[in-house]
Amino acid sequence: MSDATKDEGYTGDGTRAVRAGLPEPVKHEPTLPGPVFAAHFHLPGEVTGPYAYGRDDNPTWTLLERAVGELEAPGREDAETLVFASGMAAISAVLFSQLRAGDAVVLPSDGYQVLPMVGAQLEAYGIEVRTAPTGGDAQLDVLDGARLLWIESPSNPGLDVCDIRRLAEAAHARGALVAVDNTLATPLGQRPLELGADFSVASGTKQLTGHGDVLLGYVTGRNSEAMAAVRRWRKIVGAISGPMEAWLAHRSIATLQMRVDRQDATALTLAETLRQRPEISGLRYPGLPDDPSHKIAAQQMRRYGCVVSFTLPTRARAERFLEALHLVEDATSFGGVRSTAERRRRWGGDAVPDGFIRMSVGAEDPEDLVTDVLRALDESAD
């Protein structure tokens, strides 16, 4: 954020998103400089200054990292953000840079479907992996002696929520670090560092960038020693974002507040509508007042996300429903301006029923989207 913006004390999410990470204005220069494509930089004499080699740093990353940091941890001088090639690159960087053989880590048993693969790799390196579900703060029961607690709230795809502040305080009392996957919430939905976490980790592929055209991840942390290890891991592995992807992500953040408000409001409208359908069971959306997670979500979240999940009676019904949709693409991922939905069980990694649907609400007109979903439900009936 520019010094002028800081001095004025603007705190609105829209203002912050539009201005985030912009350099100080220079006459005749663009407001947001274009991507810097460089594998190396001029470097005569001693190695000084920020840019030497393209795997270590890039000016386009710097602006994006500053932008994300201003959203995840506004006003915190001790926070640092690092961008990565994907959300999984960011997740791996935290886990593999902080854990050693003989350590124990607590992972959510209902988290992102790749986490079991990560857990198996951690175990191969001599790290004890414990799991517990997100709901009911169940990870507290397996926390003693752990080096790192990994929280995913809301969880993907089940949309359970845990009390991040409570878990973070308990973990720190036991000497453990805390990382929160903030992908579903985005920094406009919740700020894990303000809730006590040491790391906020996310896939920027999803709602943060919101157009389904960029793979990106990031880590924001408030422990300088821990973040130095994350940075070192990025350098060793080379899991770096391309400058074009970083620039597209930064450009997309300017519309984040508008997209999030539209998508999240429509998600609530859709969830309220689906609640009336008798063929639907297991409807979850943290913004619904009667959702099992709503009480905790309302205490720590400012927005509830764009994802709604529910179950249709059978696999065949779910597939007919997806095929009947006109405005909703049958695709994985979530958070884009075009609505998507999928039968999650097709991937085999989530413990959900065959008819379980994860729907990501886009920026279409709410009335059109709701009409399309209701029509598809009617047409897919037996």
Side-chain angles (χ1 to χ4, degrees), residues 60-130:
T60 311
W61 304 351
T62 298
L63 296 180
L64 175 59
E65 289 168 344
R66 188 186 305 166
V68 173
E70 288 170 6
L71 298 177
E72 281 280 357
R76 293 195 67 128
E77 298 298 329
D78 61 341
E80 177 184 2
T81 297
L82 297 171
V83 297
F84 289 82
S86 68
M88 279 309 306
I91 290 170
S92 300
V94 172
L95 291 170
F96 289 99
S97 70
Q98 304 304 312
L99 297 169
R100 303 289 184 272
D103 287 342
V105 60
V106 177
L107 302 178
S109 58
D110 55 343
Y112 180 47
Q113 63 156 344
V114 182
L115 284 182
M117 295 176 61
V118 176
Q121 189 63 55
L122 290 168
E123 289 177 331
Y125 291 156
I127 296 162
E128 179 189 354
V129 177
R130 307 171 187 169

Side-chain angles (χ1 to χ4, degrees), residues 136-147:
D137 298 346
Q139 289 175 302
L140 284 173
D141 297 334
V142 293
L143 192 53
D144 286 351
R147 165 65 179 161

Side-chain angles (χ1 to χ4, degrees), residues 15-347:
T15 303
R16 199 183 299 279
V18 167
R19 304 294 305 175
L22 296 183
E24 288 297 319
V26 176
K27 188 175 183 178
H28 305 308
E29 294 294 325
T31 303
L32 177 63
V36 175
F37 297 96
H40 60 266
F41 301 82
H42 288 296
L43 195 66
E46 296 297 320
V47 179
T48 59
Y51 306 111
Y53 185 63
R55 191 180 67 251
D56 299 335
D57 274 302
N58 178 288
T60 311
W61 304 351
T62 298
L63 296 180
L64 175 59
E65 289 168 344
R66 188 186 305 166
V68 173
E70 288 170 6
L71 298 177
E72 281 280 357
R76 293 195 67 128
E77 298 298 329
D78 61 341
E80 177 184 2
T81 297
L82 297 171
V83 297
F84 289 82
S86 68
M88 279 309 306
I91 290 170
S92 300
V94 172
L95 291 170
F96 289 99
S97 70
Q98 304 304 312
L99 297 169
R100 303 289 184 272
D103 287 342
V105 60
V106 177
L107 302 178
S109 58
D110 55 343
Y112 180 47
Q113 63 156 344
V114 182
L115 284 182
M117 295 176 61
V118 176
Q121 189 63 55
L122 290 168
E123 289 177 331
Y125 291 156
I127 296 162
E128 179 189 354
V129 177
R130 307 171 187 169
T131 61
T134 300
D137 298 346
Q139 289 175 302
L140 284 173
D141 297 334
V142 293
L143 192 53
D144 286 351
R147 165 65 179 161
L148 175 67
L149 168 63
W150 189 273
I151 294 170
E152 190 175 298
S153 182
S155 61
N156 174 26
L159 302 182
D160 265 324
V161 172
C162 61
D163 188 334
I164 295 174
R165 190 181 300 279
R166 180 189 181 202
L167 266 67
E169 290 175 353
H172 290 153
R174 292 164 170 81
L177 294 168
V178 178
V180 175
D181 187 325
N182 204 34
T183 303
L184 266 162
T186 81
L188 268 59
Q190 71 186 7
R191 295 176 183 145
L193 269 60
E194 292 182 357
L195 298 171
D198 300 287
F199 305 98
S200 181
V201 187
S203 168
T205 308
K206 311 300 192 296
Q207 199 172 18
L208 185 83
T209 55
H211 291 81
D213 54 6
V214 171
L215 285 172
L216 191 87
Y218 69 84
V219 179
T220 300
R222 60 190 179 95
N223 181 307
S224 60
E225 183 178 349
M227 286 301 292
V230 174
R231 180 182 288 274
R232 186 166 57 250
W233 179 264
R234 184 177 71 174
K235 177 182 177 71
I236 292 169
V237 177
I240 59 172
S241 170
M244 190 66 191
E245 288 80 2
W247 183 84
L248 284 170
H250 196 167
R251 184 188 68 165
S252 297
I253 285 174
T255 62
L256 179 61
Q257 181 261 340
M258 291 183 286
R259 290 185 283 106
V260 164
D261 281 353
R262 173 63 170 261
Q263 291 171 252
D264 293 12
T266 304
L268 178 59
T269 299
L270 178 63
E272 290 171 338
T273 302
L274 293 176
R275 194 164 46 179
Q276 312 303 319
R277 298 289 300 206
E279 70 268 52
I280 283 177
S281 62
L283 175 67
R284 296 300 303 271
Y285 183 69
L288 285 172
D290 59 349
D291 186 272
S293 292
H294 180 72
K295 182 177 179 180
I296 298 174
Q299 294 171 0
Q300 66 189 21
M301 300 182 72
R302 297 178 297 133
R303 295 172 175 85
Y304 299 108
C306 64
V307 176
V308 177
S309 67
F310 56 92
T311 300
L312 289 169
T314 64
R315 169 178 175 171
R317 176 69 189 277
E319 290 176 344
R320 290 198 302 271
F321 166 70
L322 293 170
E323 187 176 355
L325 290 165
H326 294 163
L327 295 180
V328 183
E329 300 171 0
D330 189 343
T332 195
S333 197
F334 56 86
V337 292
R338 289 173 292 279
S339 293
T340 60
E342 68 172 336
R343 192 180 68 83
R344 263 320 268 185
R345 189 65 182 271
R346 67 180 177 174
W347 296 99

